[in-house]
Amino acid sequence: MEYFDFLQLIAKILLVVGVCLGVVPVMVWFERRGAAWMQGRVGPNRVGPFGLLQPLADVVKFIMKEDFTPKNANKFYYYLAPLMALIAPLCALSVIPFGSKAIVNGQEIVLQIAQMDSGVIFILAFAGLEVYPIILAGWASKNKYSVLGALRGSSQIVSYEISMGLALLSMLIVYGSFNPHDMVSWQASKYWGVVVNPFGALVFLISIFAETNRLPFDLPEGESEIVAGYHLEYGAMKFALFFMAEYIAMIMASALISTLFFGGYSLLPGMSQLISMISSHFGFGEVGMTNVTAVFQFVSLCSKVGFFMFLFVWIRWTLPRFRFDQLMDLGWKILFPLSLINLVVVTLMVYFLNK
Amino acid sequence: MSPVIIVLAVISAVLALTMLFTKNPITSALCLLGVLIMTAGIYGLIGEHLIATIQLVVYAGAIMVLFIFSIMLLNLNTESTDFKDKPGLFVGAIAMGFSVFGFIAFALNEHFANHRQDFPMGEFTSDKVAALGGNSKVLSHALFSQFYISFEVISLALLIAIVGAVVLAKRKFD
């Protein structure tokens, strides 16, 4: 591998990981302020302007707390679980493109960490690995509530993976490619995936709520029933890792649904005029134009991801938690058959439209 | 060969040995999971991304979840999870494993020793696959055009297995 290739790979990884970890404290703040806003409360407003330094105070609290380990816990797996929780969604992010290409030093850089021909299927692979930290954390803590939470979490994730996979499959048939760049250019040249397959988008949205264990599907944590579920025995920074993992999984899911259904990094309306205005004002050549476009594509993807993060918070404070049998009924008896029917409909649609 | 592959191979060998010699079934299952993930990593490093992905989706993401799930559900107390030491069985199993490995190595060696010169290359070289749009595209085309009958037959067989499992697991009909 050449020096330049290596350097650009490291730069892309640092950008993605940096943005993700940087968004977490903002989301923590926004989650609390959003909750307060929706419930007509004030929310955190004492630490810094608008309570913006609240995440910092949280971090200090997490670090200063006693870092206890339960006596009967299986130590190795107990410490392994939070690490795995953080790694799986970060790996999945490596396939999501955050721009078409940039040109640095005369060399073209594809703005995607891993360019592999299996593309989005790779994301599913890592979404499947998100089950392990939950099972491990619940089992290694040697606590019955943790085990209950782990069982709930893993059965929920495994069940909703099916409808998620079917919704993804219907979009793969529409785009005819695994490659996320192809998907985005298809959507940029025609219409967003959500217009073609709105039902698939809905099923996918519901499934990612279940996959990321967010309300109304946060049964693995269900405070009122099983205390805190699989991370009950985790304190201090170990709990903070689970907390961060949840937000990173949310970012990953939002980026995935934006890429599949909402045009990914394709420019929002009005942006192309802005780009031509900027480049004519500063007199950019073709290279500068490409780079400015890349920046705007990144902004476009980020704004879409931001909207979905807002949606996650919005729904969390709007809908109450499901009961476990309702959750399973929704997954197996409603979403699964409906997404199968949707798959058939989309297949027929694609066949007759392309004929 | 990239040095990373060697590192992954060594890690997976260590994990495989741990899987064999540990007494805790969960450790055993997780080591197997580790071996599968490392193998996926090796596939990825030699450029076979599709195989790596399928390895992760099918083995690491689905089958091992089932394994670990059933181990955790069936016995949660340590007394019943520890395997009983049975040296005779252990030695027999090791001998059997080595003999199977030996047969496979012998067969492969024979095959390549005899056919090395006139070994016919397949239709798809790696350059040709890359020109056609990557492994996943070529494989999908082959599955859904050339081999679609076998594909459908296999899916029928899987359906039969699922129906059988449901019938076995269902409580008696009223």
Side-chain angles (χ1 to χ4, degrees):
Chain A
M1 198 184 277
E2 279 177 47
Y3 186 63
F4 182 80
D5 285 343
F6 189 68
L7 214 63
Q8 54 119 333
L9 193 64
I10 298 288
K12 284 189 285 193
I13 293 174
L14 282 183
L15 176 71
V16 171
V17 174
V19 167
C20 289
L21 294 183
V23 163
V24 171
V26 180
M27 275 310 292
V28 172
W29 172 81
F30 181 71
E31 181 109 43
R32 295 174 161 208
R33 287 295 285 199
W37 175 39
M38 281 164 206
Q39 296 175 341
R41 294 187 282 115
V42 182
N45 66 344
R46 294 294 144 138
V47 199
F50 305 107
L52 267 173
L53 294 180
Q54 187 66 41
L56 203 68
D58 284 345
V59 169
V60 171
K61 189 184 97 176
F62 275 133
I63 293 176
M64 305 292 269
K65 273 204 169 182
E66 186 194 349
D67 190 15
F68 67 90
T69 308
K71 197 173 135 214
N72 290 326
N74 193 327
K75 297 278 185 317
F76 181 69
Y77 299 128
Y78 178 76
Y79 286 109
L80 186 67
L83 291 178
M84 279 179 88
L86 203 57
I87 288 169
L90 273 179
C91 284
L93 270 168
S94 65
V95 196
I96 299 208
F98 47 89
S100 56
K101 61 185 181 204
I103 297 176
V104 176
N105 218 353
Q107 300 209 46
E108 212 170 84
I109 297 176
V110 181
L111 293 178
Q112 181 190 19
I113 295 174
Q115 293 120 45
M116 43 176 68
D117 65 355
S118 46
V120 286
I121 306 293
F122 188 76
I123 299 176
L124 272 195
F126 278 98
L129 292 190
E130 277 171 39
V131 186
Y132 290 108
I134 294 182
I135 304 185
L136 264 189
W139 178 80
S141 306
K142 291 270 159 53
N143 179 316
K144 40 186 120 150
Y145 295 115
S146 301
V147 172
L148 280 176
L151 289 180
R152 280 180 173 195
S154 39
S155 48
Q156 168 181 331
I157 288 180
V158 169
S159 313
Y160 277 79
E161 224 162 66
I162 297 172
S163 35
M164 184 174 156
L166 284 173
L168 182 64
L169 194 59
S170 61
M171 286 326 278
L172 288 180
I173 287 172
V174 172
Y175 300 135
S177 170
F178 288 133
N179 186 346
H181 284 291
D182 290 353
M183 295 179 177
V184 172
S185 54
W186 193 95
Q187 291 178 85
S189 65
K190 291 175 182 164
Y191 6 73
W192 282 4
V194 66
V195 182
V196 185
N197 185 6
F199 190 77
L202 184 67
V203 170
F204 199 84
L205 187 67
I206 296 173
S207 307
I208 60 175
F209 271 88
E211 291 275 316
T212 48
N213 297 324
R214 292 281 295 185
L215 266 166
F217 301 134
D218 75 332
L219 289 131
E221 296 169 33
E223 294 91 346
S224 52
E225 304 147 20
I226 50 173
V227 198
Y230 64 94
H231 57 55
L232 165 62
E233 295 285 1
Y234 286 83
M237 277 315 276
K238 295 197 292 294
F239 170 73
L241 278 182
F242 274 118
F243 204 57
M244 276 154 73
E246 180 179 327
Y247 284 105
I248 289 176
M250 274 160 65
I251 295 172
M252 192 272 283
S254 309
L256 184 58
I257 195 172
S258 326
T259 306
L260 283 175
F261 293 99
F262 293 87
Y265 61 75
S266 65
L267 296 172
L268 292 172
M271 272 188 173
S272 48
Q273 284 91 324
L274 206 60
I275 290 170
S276 57
M277 216 167 78
I278 288 175
S279 40
S280 66
H281 184 261
F282 290 102
F284 284 143
E286 200 169 321
V287 174
M289 186 86 167
T290 314
N291 287 342
V292 172
T293 312
V295 170
F296 272 93
Q297 283 170 336
F298 187 63
V299 170
S300 166
L301 180 67
C302 284
S303 54
K304 285 166 190 168
V305 170
F307 170 74
F308 282 104
M309 300 296 277
F310 171 71
L311 191 72
F312 270 110
V313 174
W314 186 7
I315 288 185
R316 170 167 185 175
W317 299 106
T318 306
L319 295 178
R321 181 181 300 134
F322 275 54
R323 222 170 50 215
F324 194 67
D325 56 329
Q326 291 172 333
L327 174 89
M328 282 296 155
D329 279 358
L330 179 67
W332 285 102
K333 293 183 184 165
I334 300 175
L335 285 187
F336 175 48
L338 282 182
S339 50
L340 261 184
I341 294 169
N342 183 47
L343 180 64
V344 174
V345 170
V346 168
T347 315
L348 290 176
M349 197 175 79
V350 169
Y351 177 72
F352 284 113
L353 287 183
N354 288 348
K355 212 167 150 184
Chain B
M1 206 187 334
S2 106
V4 187
I5 292 186
I6 299 172
V7 172
L8 290 184
V10 169
I11 295 175
S12 69
V14 170
L15 285 172
L17 287 177
T18 320
M19 179 194 90
L20 282 178
F21 292 108
T22 183
K23 286 191 171 180
N24 186 345
I26 292 283
T27 308
S28 209
L30 284 170
C31 285
L32 183 55
L33 173 67
V35 172
L36 293 171
I37 292 176
M38 294 299 147
T39 322
I42 293 175
Y43 288 147
L45 281 173
I46 60 173
E48 301 298 335
H49 298 148
L50 183 70
I51 304 289
T53 309
I54 288 175
Q55 172 95 356
L56 280 179
V57 173
V58 175
Y59 291 101
I63 293 181
M64 284 316 293
V65 173
L66 213 66
F67 273 34
I68 292 179
F69 219 70
S70 45
I71 292 173
M72 282 178 182
L73 279 185
L74 289 182
N75 33 29
L76 281 168
N77 52 336
T78 43
E79 271 77 12
S80 58
T81 53
D82 283 349
F83 293 122
K84 296 282 175 291
D85 279 333
K86 284 177 190 157
L89 202 66
F90 191 67
V91 171
I94 284 185
M96 205 141 128
F98 270 112
S99 54
V100 168
F101 178 75
F103 284 137
I104 292 174
F106 179 71
L108 278 177
N109 190 34
E110 280 287 287
H111 183 81
F112 281 106
N114 294 339
H115 297 273
R116 181 156 298 198
Q117 271 75 38
D118 54 340
F119 189 64
M121 289 297 282
E123 193 186 338
F124 293 109
T125 58
S126 39
D127 295 334
K128 221 171 175 181
V129 168
L132 284 171
N135 267 328
S136 44
K137 206 163 195 169
V138 173
L139 183 73
S140 321
H141 274 292
L143 269 187
F144 288 103
S145 55
Q146 195 180 352
F147 299 112
Y148 76 97
I149 292 186
S150 348
F151 184 79
E152 290 301 323
V153 168
I154 290 171
S155 65
L156 262 184
L158 286 175
L159 183 67
I160 293 168
I162 293 172
V163 172
V166 170
V167 169
L168 284 179
K170 203 172 160 59
R171 292 192 199 91
K172 288 280 168 278
F173 294 102
D174 297 326

